[in-house]
Amino acid sequence: MAKKTLTVDFDQLNKFVDQREAFIKDNPWLIPAGIAIQVIPLALLIHGHMKASIYKKKLQIEREKTKQLALQLQAEGHCKHHHHGQPKHHKGHQPEAPNFPRRLAH
């Protein structure tokens, strides 16, 4: 394969750079607009990621609270119904209705 040589016309390149500089001087508002076009989506992405991680942590905390409450209610129910050395149910004794975890207030 033959190698291709790259030739650069520096006069034409300088002409292009001068045109771009003139365009920016005529339209200086393009600089902040161009920066905003690049920065705003990045900021939204970062904000969304932070919110998602915060809500994920809150959900884990609420699940753990629910588990703890269920275990606590189960332990209380176990102690009330199963006394050591006694039968599970006495005559005329009705077991209490199961306690289900209630929704915790925020």
Side-chain angles (χ1 to χ4, degrees):
M1 220 184 230
K3 290 186 178 180
K4 295 183 180 181
T5 56
L6 177 66
T7 57
V8 177
D9 185 2
F10 287 107
D11 292 331
Q12 187 178 4
L13 185 62
N14 287 335
K15 186 178 174 183
F16 175 72
V17 170
D18 292 339
Q19 287 175 347
R20 190 172 66 184
E21 286 177 4
F23 184 75
I24 295 296
K25 285 180 184 176
D26 293 340
N27 302 300
W29 58 270
L30 286 173
I31 294 172
I35 292 171
I37 286 172
Q38 294 176 2
V39 170
I40 289 174
L42 180 63
L44 290 173
L45 180 73
I46 292 169
H47 176 73
H49 180 73
M50 293 296 293
K51 281 290 193 179
S53 63
I54 288 169
Y55 285 124
K56 184 177 178 182
K57 184 57 80 175
K58 283 184 179 182
L59 180 61
Q60 287 176 341
I61 291 169
E62 289 300 319
R63 283 183 178 162
E64 184 61 31
K65 284 181 183 178
T66 304
K67 285 180 188 177
Q68 292 295 328
L69 183 60
L71 289 172
Q72 180 183 2
L73 291 174
Q74 184 181 14
E76 288 174 3
H78 179 75
C79 290
K80 289 179 183 175
H81 294 300
H82 305 288
H83 298 287
H84 299 285
Q86 296 181 1
K88 290 184 180 179
H89 300 289
H90 300 287
K91 282 187 176 179
H93 179 261
Q94 295 293 325
E96 295 180 19
N99 292 325
F100 294 103
R102 288 172 262 125
R103 184 165 189 246
L104 301 174
H106 293 268

